[in-house]
PDB file of all heavy atoms in Angstrom:
ATOM      1  N   GLU A   1     112.409  89.718 114.409  1.00  0.00           N
ATOM      2  CA  GLU A   1     111.750  89.016 113.313  1.00  0.00           C
ATOM      3  C   GLU A   1     110.464  89.726 112.895  1.00  0.00           C
ATOM      4  O   GLU A   1     109.672  89.183 112.127  1.00  0.00           O
ATOM      5  CB  GLU A   1     111.439  87.578 113.720  1.00  0.00           C
ATOM      6  CG  GLU A   1     112.660  86.679 113.736  1.00  0.00           C
ATOM      7  CD  GLU A   1     113.337  86.593 112.374  1.00  0.00           C
ATOM      8  OE1 GLU A   1     112.634  86.574 111.349  1.00  0.00           O
ATOM      9  OE2 GLU A   1     114.583  86.559 112.333  1.00  0.00           O
ATOM     10  N   SER A   2     110.253  90.935 113.387  1.00  0.00           N
ATOM     11  CA  SER A   2     109.082  91.722 113.017  1.00  0.00           C
ATOM     12  C   SER A   2     109.041  91.946 111.500  1.00  0.00           C
ATOM     13  O   SER A   2     110.080  91.995 110.843  1.00  0.00           O
ATOM     14  CB  SER A   2     109.132  93.079 113.729  1.00  0.00           C
ATOM     15  OG  SER A   2     108.136  93.949 113.229  1.00  0.00           O
ATOM     16  N   PRO A   3     107.856  92.086 110.921  1.00  0.00           N
ATOM     17  CA  PRO A   3     107.773  92.388 109.485  1.00  0.00           C
ATOM     18  C   PRO A   3     108.563  93.632 109.085  1.00  0.00           C
ATOM     19  O   PRO A   3     108.977  93.757 107.926  1.00  0.00           O
ATOM     20  CB  PRO A   3     106.269  92.597 109.261  1.00  0.00           C
ATOM     21  CG  PRO A   3     105.613  91.819 110.348  1.00  0.00           C
ATOM     22  CD  PRO A   3     106.518  91.921 111.531  1.00  0.00           C
ATOM     23  N   HIS A   4     108.793  94.518 110.033  1.00  0.00           N
ATOM     24  CA  HIS A   4     109.511  95.764 109.726  1.00  0.00           C
ATOM     25  C   HIS A   4     110.965  95.516 109.305  1.00  0.00           C
ATOM     26  O   HIS A   4     111.578  96.387 108.680  1.00  0.00           O
ATOM     27  CB  HIS A   4     109.494  96.691 110.942  1.00  0.00           C
ATOM     28  CG  HIS A   4     108.121  97.074 111.398  1.00  0.00           C
ATOM     29  ND1 HIS A   4     107.360  96.260 112.220  1.00  0.00           N
ATOM     30  CD2 HIS A   4     107.367  98.181 111.149  1.00  0.00           C
ATOM     31  CE1 HIS A   4     106.194  96.845 112.459  1.00  0.00           C
ATOM     32  NE2 HIS A   4     106.170  98.005 111.834  1.00  0.00           N
ATOM     33  N   VAL A   5     111.532  94.378 109.659  1.00  0.00           N
ATOM     34  CA  VAL A   5     112.953  94.153 109.361  1.00  0.00           C
ATOM     35  C   VAL A   5     113.153  93.474 108.009  1.00  0.00           C
ATOM     36  O   VAL A   5     114.285  93.191 107.624  1.00  0.00           O
ATOM     37  CB  VAL A   5     113.649  93.330 110.469  1.00  0.00           C
ATOM     38  CG1 VAL A   5     113.370  93.923 111.831  1.00  0.00           C
ATOM     39  CG2 VAL A   5     113.259  91.865 110.421  1.00  0.00           C
ATOM     40  N   TYR A   6     112.053  93.236 107.280  1.00  0.00           N
ATOM     41  CA  TYR A   6     112.126  92.543 105.999  1.00  0.00           C
ATOM     42  C   TYR A   6     111.631  93.421 104.852  1.00  0.00           C
ATOM     43  O   TYR A   6     110.822  94.319 105.040  1.00  0.00           O
ATOM     44  CB  TYR A   6     111.298  91.252 106.037  1.00  0.00           C
ATOM     45  CG  TYR A   6     111.941  90.161 106.846  1.00  0.00           C
ATOM     46  CD1 TYR A   6     111.631  90.002 108.195  1.00  0.00           C
ATOM     47  CD2 TYR A   6     112.878  89.305 106.284  1.00  0.00           C
ATOM     48  CE1 TYR A   6     112.229  89.002 108.952  1.00  0.00           C
ATOM     49  CE2 TYR A   6     113.482  88.306 107.033  1.00  0.00           C
ATOM     50  CZ  TYR A   6     113.164  88.161 108.366  1.00  0.00           C
ATOM     51  OH  TYR A   6     113.770  87.188 109.112  1.00  0.00           O
ATOM     52  N   ARG A   7     112.094  93.103 103.655  1.00  0.00           N
ATOM     53  CA  ARG A   7     111.528  93.680 102.444  1.00  0.00           C
ATOM     54  C   ARG A   7     110.107  93.141 102.274  1.00  0.00           C
ATOM     55  O   ARG A   7     109.696  92.185 102.908  1.00  0.00           O
ATOM     56  CB  ARG A   7     112.360  93.297 101.210  1.00  0.00           C
ATOM     57  CG  ARG A   7     113.791  93.803 101.184  1.00  0.00           C
ATOM     58  CD  ARG A   7     114.455  93.312  99.897  1.00  0.00           C
ATOM     59  NE  ARG A   7     115.796  93.825  99.703  1.00  0.00           N
ATOM     60  CZ  ARG A   7     116.917  93.167 100.027  1.00  0.00           C
ATOM     61  NH1 ARG A   7     116.830  91.963 100.573  1.00  0.00           N
ATOM     62  NH2 ARG A   7     118.103  93.691  99.803  1.00  0.00           N
ATOM     63  N   ARG A   8     109.375  93.733 101.369  1.00  0.00           N
ATOM     64  CA  ARG A   8     108.046  93.218 101.027  1.00  0.00           C
ATOM     65  C   ARG A   8     108.199  92.196  99.900  1.00  0.00           C
ATOM     66  O   ARG A   8     108.828  92.453  98.870  1.00  0.00           O
ATOM     67  CB  ARG A   8     107.113  94.345 100.599  1.00  0.00           C
ATOM     68  CG  ARG A   8     106.984  95.470 101.629  1.00  0.00           C
ATOM     69  CD  ARG A   8     106.047  95.127 102.772  1.00  0.00           C
ATOM     70  NE  ARG A   8     106.483  94.074 103.668  1.00  0.00           N
ATOM     71  CZ  ARG A   8     107.351  94.251 104.694  1.00  0.00           C
ATOM     72  NH1 ARG A   8     107.867  95.437 104.944  1.00  0.00           N
ATOM     73  NH2 ARG A   8     107.667  93.247 105.480  1.00  0.00           N
ATOM     74  N   LEU A   9     107.637  91.031 100.098  1.00  0.00           N
ATOM     75  CA  LEU A   9     107.826  89.921  99.173  1.00  0.00           C
ATOM     76  C   LEU A   9     107.359  90.225  97.744  1.00  0.00           C
ATOM     77  O   LEU A   9     108.053  89.851  96.785  1.00  0.00           O
ATOM     78  CB  LEU A   9     107.125  88.669  99.713  1.00  0.00           C
ATOM     79  CG  LEU A   9     107.366  87.389  98.924  1.00  0.00           C
ATOM     80  CD1 LEU A   9     108.843  87.031  98.873  1.00  0.00           C
ATOM     81  CD2 LEU A   9     106.561  86.237  99.525  1.00  0.00           C
ATOM     82  N   PRO A  10     106.218  90.895  97.518  1.00  0.00           N
ATOM     83  CA  PRO A  10     105.823  91.179  96.130  1.00  0.00           C
ATOM     84  C   PRO A  10     106.864  91.988  95.357  1.00  0.00           C
ATOM     85  O   PRO A  10     107.084  91.746  94.163  1.00  0.00           O
ATOM     86  CB  PRO A  10     104.511  91.962  96.287  1.00  0.00           C
ATOM     87  CG  PRO A  10     103.961  91.492  97.590  1.00  0.00           C
ATOM     88  CD  PRO A  10     105.158  91.301  98.473  1.00  0.00           C
ATOM     89  N   GLU A  11     107.533  92.923  96.038  1.00  0.00           N
ATOM     90  CA  GLU A  11     108.556  93.720  95.370  1.00  0.00           C
ATOM     91  C   GLU A  11     109.768  92.870  95.010  1.00  0.00           C
ATOM     92  O   GLU A  11     110.361  93.022  93.934  1.00  0.00           O
ATOM     93  CB  GLU A  11     108.978  94.886  96.270  1.00  0.00           C
ATOM     94  CG  GLU A  11     107.879  95.902  96.535  1.00  0.00           C
ATOM     95  CD  GLU A  11     108.321  96.989  97.498  1.00  0.00           C
ATOM     96  OE1 GLU A  11     109.531  97.062  97.803  1.00  0.00           O
ATOM     97  OE2 GLU A  11     107.455  97.764  97.946  1.00  0.00           O
ATOM     98  N   VAL A  12     110.132  91.971  95.923  1.00  0.00           N
ATOM     99  CA  VAL A  12     111.282  91.103  95.673  1.00  0.00           C
ATOM    100  C   VAL A  12     110.976  90.139  94.530  1.00  0.00           C
ATOM    101  O   VAL A  12     111.811  89.901  93.650  1.00  0.00           O
ATOM    102  CB  VAL A  12     111.650  90.337  96.964  1.00  0.00           C
ATOM    103  CG1 VAL A  12     112.774  89.351  96.704  1.00  0.00           C
ATOM    104  CG2 VAL A  12     112.061  91.309  98.059  1.00  0.00           C
ATOM    105  N   LEU A  13     109.762  89.597  94.523  1.00  0.00           N
ATOM    106  CA  LEU A  13     109.368  88.708  93.430  1.00  0.00           C
ATOM    107  C   LEU A  13     109.366  89.436  92.092  1.00  0.00           C
ATOM    108  O   LEU A  13     109.809  88.900  91.070  1.00  0.00           O
ATOM    109  CB  LEU A  13     107.969  88.142  93.704  1.00  0.00           C
ATOM    110  CG  LEU A  13     107.886  86.987  94.693  1.00  0.00           C
ATOM    111  CD1 LEU A  13     106.435  86.743  95.097  1.00  0.00           C
ATOM    112  CD2 LEU A  13     108.492  85.723  94.099  1.00  0.00           C
ATOM    113  N   LYS A  14     108.884  90.671  92.108  1.00  0.00           N
ATOM    114  CA  LYS A  14     108.850  91.453  90.871  1.00  0.00           C
ATOM    115  C   LYS A  14     110.251  91.682  90.325  1.00  0.00           C
ATOM    116  O   LYS A  14     110.476  91.668  89.115  1.00  0.00           O
ATOM    117  CB  LYS A  14     108.150  92.793  91.119  1.00  0.00           C
ATOM    118  CG  LYS A  14     107.873  93.591  89.849  1.00  0.00           C
ATOM    119  CD  LYS A  14     107.047  94.831  90.149  1.00  0.00           C
ATOM    120  CE  LYS A  14     106.751  95.607  88.874  1.00  0.00           C
ATOM    121  NZ  LYS A  14     105.964  96.836  89.166  1.00  0.00           N
ATOM    122  N   ALA A  15     111.212  91.849  91.234  1.00  0.00           N
ATOM    123  CA  ALA A  15     112.594  92.075  90.818  1.00  0.00           C
ATOM    124  C   ALA A  15     113.220  90.839  90.182  1.00  0.00           C
ATOM    125  O   ALA A  15     114.245  90.946  89.499  1.00  0.00           O
ATOM    126  CB  ALA A  15     113.436  92.537  92.006  1.00  0.00           C
ATOM    127  N   GLN A  16     112.635  89.663  90.413  1.00  0.00           N
ATOM    128  CA  GLN A  16     113.131  88.445  89.754  1.00  0.00           C
ATOM    129  C   GLN A  16     112.597  88.318  88.326  1.00  0.00           C
ATOM    130  O   GLN A  16     112.946  87.377  87.614  1.00  0.00           O
ATOM    131  CB  GLN A  16     112.735  87.213  90.560  1.00  0.00           C
ATOM    132  CG  GLN A  16     113.415  87.091  91.913  1.00  0.00           C
ATOM    133  CD  GLN A  16     114.910  86.810  91.835  1.00  0.00           C
ATOM    134  OE1 GLN A  16     115.700  87.425  92.543  1.00  0.00           O
ATOM    135  NE2 GLN A  16     115.302  85.899  90.968  1.00  0.00           N
ATOM    136  N   GLY A  17     111.755  89.272  87.926  1.00  0.00           N
ATOM    137  CA  GLY A  17     111.219  89.251  86.574  1.00  0.00           C
ATOM    138  C   GLY A  17     110.327  88.053  86.333  1.00  0.00           C
ATOM    139  O   GLY A  17     109.665  87.549  87.243  1.00  0.00           O
ATOM    140  N   LYS A  18     110.338  87.569  85.108  1.00  0.00           N
ATOM    141  CA  LYS A  18     109.482  86.448  84.737  1.00  0.00           C
ATOM    142  C   LYS A  18     110.177  85.103  84.885  1.00  0.00           C
ATOM    143  O   LYS A  18     109.710  84.088  84.365  1.00  0.00           O
ATOM    144  CB  LYS A  18     109.006  86.623  83.290  1.00  0.00           C
ATOM    145  CG  LYS A  18     108.159  87.866  83.061  1.00  0.00           C
ATOM    146  CD  LYS A  18     107.775  88.003  81.596  1.00  0.00           C
ATOM    147  CE  LYS A  18     106.958  89.259  81.344  1.00  0.00           C
ATOM    148  NZ  LYS A  18     106.620  89.409  79.896  1.00  0.00           N
ATOM    149  N   THR A  19     111.290  85.093  85.620  1.00  0.00           N
ATOM    150  CA  THR A  19     112.026  83.837  85.783  1.00  0.00           C
ATOM    151  C   THR A  19     111.253  82.822  86.604  1.00  0.00           C
ATOM    152  O   THR A  19     111.495  81.614  86.511  1.00  0.00           O
ATOM    153  CB  THR A  19     113.398  84.076  86.449  1.00  0.00           C
ATOM    154  OG1 THR A  19     113.187  84.669  87.736  1.00  0.00           O
ATOM    155  CG2 THR A  19     114.257  85.003  85.604  1.00  0.00           C
ATOM    156  N   VAL A  20     110.326  83.312  87.444  1.00  0.00           N
ATOM    157  CA  VAL A  20     109.461  82.424  88.224  1.00  0.00           C
ATOM    158  C   VAL A  20     108.020  82.879  88.064  1.00  0.00           C
ATOM    159  O   VAL A  20     107.740  84.037  87.730  1.00  0.00           O
ATOM    160  CB  VAL A  20     109.837  82.420  89.725  1.00  0.00           C
ATOM    161  CG1 VAL A  20     111.161  81.722  89.943  1.00  0.00           C
ATOM    162  CG2 VAL A  20     109.856  83.821  90.306  1.00  0.00           C
ATOM    163  N   GLU A  21     107.113  81.953  88.308  1.00  0.00           N
ATOM    164  CA  GLU A  21     105.691  82.282  88.270  1.00  0.00           C
ATOM    165  C   GLU A  21     105.032  81.818  89.559  1.00  0.00           C
ATOM    166  O   GLU A  21     105.331  80.731  90.057  1.00  0.00           O
ATOM    167  CB  GLU A  21     105.015  81.668  87.036  1.00  0.00           C
ATOM    168  CG  GLU A  21     105.375  80.234  86.759  1.00  0.00           C
ATOM    169  CD  GLU A  21     105.038  79.802  85.333  1.00  0.00           C
ATOM    170  OE1 GLU A  21     104.700  80.670  84.502  1.00  0.00           O
ATOM    171  OE2 GLU A  21     105.131  78.591  85.055  1.00  0.00           O
ATOM    172  N   VAL A  22     104.182  82.668  90.105  1.00  0.00           N
ATOM    173  CA  VAL A  22     103.503  82.366  91.360  1.00  0.00           C
ATOM    174  C   VAL A  22     102.296  81.488  91.077  1.00  0.00           C
ATOM    175  O   VAL A  22     101.432  81.834  90.271  1.00  0.00           O
ATOM    176  CB  VAL A  22     103.079  83.657  92.080  1.00  0.00           C
ATOM    177  CG1 VAL A  22     102.238  83.330  93.318  1.00  0.00           C
ATOM    178  CG2 VAL A  22     104.307  84.471  92.479  1.00  0.00           C
ATOM    179  N   LEU A  23     102.243  80.345  91.766  1.00  0.00           N
ATOM    180  CA  LEU A  23     101.131  79.416  91.613  1.00  0.00           C
ATOM    181  C   LEU A  23     100.046  79.667  92.654  1.00  0.00           C
ATOM    182  O   LEU A  23      98.857  79.551  92.358  1.00  0.00           O
ATOM    183  CB  LEU A  23     101.634  77.971  91.745  1.00  0.00           C
ATOM    184  CG  LEU A  23     102.721  77.542  90.753  1.00  0.00           C
ATOM    185  CD1 LEU A  23     103.177  76.128  91.058  1.00  0.00           C
ATOM    186  CD2 LEU A  23     102.226  77.664  89.319  1.00  0.00           C
ATOM    187  N   HIS A  24     100.473  79.987  93.887  1.00  0.00           N
ATOM    188  CA  HIS A  24      99.517  80.245  94.968  1.00  0.00           C
ATOM    189  C   HIS A  24     100.072  81.324  95.883  1.00  0.00           C
ATOM    190  O   HIS A  24     101.272  81.350  96.165  1.00  0.00           O
ATOM    191  CB  HIS A  24      99.253  78.989  95.802  1.00  0.00           C
ATOM    192  CG  HIS A  24      98.702  77.842  95.020  1.00  0.00           C
ATOM    193  ND1 HIS A  24      97.432  77.850  94.479  1.00  0.00           N
ATOM    194  CD2 HIS A  24      99.255  76.642  94.676  1.00  0.00           C
ATOM    195  CE1 HIS A  24      97.224  76.716  93.838  1.00  0.00           C
ATOM    196  NE2 HIS A  24      98.306  75.971  93.936  1.00  0.00           N
ATOM    197  N   THR A  25      99.200  82.188  96.359  1.00  0.00           N
ATOM    198  CA  THR A  25      99.543  83.167  97.388  1.00  0.00           C
ATOM    199  C   THR A  25      98.922  82.698  98.696  1.00  0.00           C
ATOM    200  O   THR A  25      97.716  82.414  98.759  1.00  0.00           O
ATOM    201  CB  THR A  25      99.019  84.563  97.017  1.00  0.00           C
ATOM    202  OG1 THR A  25      99.636  84.978  95.796  1.00  0.00           O
ATOM    203  CG2 THR A  25      99.349  85.580  98.111  1.00  0.00           C
ATOM    204  N   LEU A  26      99.757  82.602  99.734  1.00  0.00           N
ATOM    205  CA  LEU A  26      99.336  82.026 101.001  1.00  0.00           C
ATOM    206  C   LEU A  26      99.296  83.092 102.091  1.00  0.00           C
ATOM    207  O   LEU A  26     100.312  83.713 102.395  1.00  0.00           O
ATOM    208  CB  LEU A  26     100.304  80.911 101.422  1.00  0.00           C
ATOM    209  CG  LEU A  26     100.641  79.848 100.371  1.00  0.00           C
ATOM    210  CD1 LEU A  26     101.586  78.817 100.957  1.00  0.00           C
ATOM    211  CD2 LEU A  26      99.382  79.175  99.847  1.00  0.00           C
ATOM    212  N   ARG A  27      98.125  83.287 102.686  1.00  0.00           N
ATOM    213  CA  ARG A  27      97.964  84.273 103.762  1.00  0.00           C
ATOM    214  C   ARG A  27      98.205  83.599 105.100  1.00  0.00           C
ATOM    215  O   ARG A  27      97.569  82.587 105.413  1.00  0.00           O
ATOM    216  CB  ARG A  27      96.553  84.871 103.706  1.00  0.00           C
ATOM    217  CG  ARG A  27      96.257  85.869 104.814  1.00  0.00           C
ATOM    218  CD  ARG A  27      94.949  86.585 104.554  1.00  0.00           C
ATOM    219  NE  ARG A  27      93.795  85.713 104.619  1.00  0.00           N
ATOM    220  CZ  ARG A  27      93.111  85.428 105.731  1.00  0.00           C
ATOM    221  NH1 ARG A  27      93.499  85.942 106.900  1.00  0.00           N
ATOM    222  NH2 ARG A  27      92.053  84.640 105.690  1.00  0.00           N
ATOM    223  N   PRO A  28      99.099  84.146 105.939  1.00  0.00           N
ATOM    224  CA  PRO A  28      99.359  83.499 107.226  1.00  0.00           C
ATOM    225  C   PRO A  28      98.190  83.660 108.191  1.00  0.00           C
ATOM    226  O   PRO A  28      97.643  84.748 108.352  1.00  0.00           O
ATOM    227  CB  PRO A  28     100.610  84.220 107.744  1.00  0.00           C
ATOM    228  CG  PRO A  28     100.574  85.563 107.070  1.00  0.00           C
ATOM    229  CD  PRO A  28      99.940  85.327 105.725  1.00  0.00           C
ATOM    230  N   LEU A  29      97.839  82.560 108.831  1.00  0.00           N
ATOM    231  CA  LEU A  29      96.803  82.558 109.861  1.00  0.00           C
ATOM    232  C   LEU A  29      97.441  82.418 111.240  1.00  0.00           C
ATOM    233  O   LEU A  29      97.092  83.133 112.168  1.00  0.00           O
ATOM    234  CB  LEU A  29      95.842  81.387 109.631  1.00  0.00           C
ATOM    235  CG  LEU A  29      95.240  81.240 108.237  1.00  0.00           C
ATOM    236  CD1 LEU A  29      94.508  79.912 108.126  1.00  0.00           C
ATOM    237  CD2 LEU A  29      94.314  82.412 107.935  1.00  0.00           C
ATOM    238  N   ILE A  30      98.375  81.469 111.353  1.00  0.00           N
ATOM    239  CA  ILE A  30      99.107  81.202 112.594  1.00  0.00           C
ATOM    240  C   ILE A  30     100.585  81.188 112.281  1.00  0.00           C
ATOM    241  O   ILE A  30     101.013  80.581 111.295  1.00  0.00           O
ATOM    242  CB  ILE A  30      98.713  79.828 113.189  1.00  0.00           C
ATOM    243  CG1 ILE A  30      97.228  79.795 113.572  1.00  0.00           C
ATOM    244  CG2 ILE A  30      99.587  79.475 114.383  1.00  0.00           C
ATOM    245  CD1 ILE A  30      96.733  78.398 113.929  1.00  0.00           C
ATOM    246  N   VAL A  31     101.386  81.865 113.095  1.00  0.00           N
ATOM    247  CA  VAL A  31     102.849  81.821 112.996  1.00  0.00           C
ATOM    248  C   VAL A  31     103.384  81.436 114.370  1.00  0.00           C
ATOM    249  O   VAL A  31     103.060  82.086 115.368  1.00  0.00           O
ATOM    250  CB  VAL A  31     103.436  83.173 112.559  1.00  0.00           C
ATOM    251  CG1 VAL A  31     104.964  83.125 112.569  1.00  0.00           C
ATOM    252  CG2 VAL A  31     102.936  83.556 111.168  1.00  0.00           C
ATOM    253  N   VAL A  32     104.182  80.370 114.429  1.00  0.00           N
ATOM    254  CA  VAL A  32     104.777  79.932 115.685  1.00  0.00           C
ATOM    255  C   VAL A  32     106.286  79.920 115.521  1.00  0.00           C
ATOM    256  O   VAL A  32     106.823  79.333 114.573  1.00  0.00           O
ATOM    257  CB  VAL A  32     104.284  78.532 116.104  1.00  0.00           C
ATOM    258  CG1 VAL A  32     104.798  78.187 117.497  1.00  0.00           C
ATOM    259  CG2 VAL A  32     102.753  78.468 116.067  1.00  0.00           C
ATOM    260  N   MET A  33     106.980  80.601 116.450  1.00  0.00           N
ATOM    261  CA  MET A  33     108.432  80.718 116.412  1.00  0.00           C
ATOM    262  C   MET A  33     108.965  80.545 117.839  1.00  0.00           C
ATOM    263  O   MET A  33     108.193  80.516 118.797  1.00  0.00           O
ATOM    264  CB  MET A  33     108.858  82.086 115.855  1.00  0.00           C
ATOM    265  CG  MET A  33     108.239  82.446 114.522  1.00  0.00           C
ATOM    266  SD  MET A  33     108.714  84.085 113.917  1.00  0.00           S
ATOM    267  CE  MET A  33     110.365  83.748 113.314  1.00  0.00           C
TER     268      MET A  33
END
């Protein structure tokens, strides 16, 4: 589940074009899995 195994979210969002709009960007402080 390391970040290395995922795409980068901004690039994926950009590929969706203007079909969605970002209201808030959330920076992770704590992640529990």
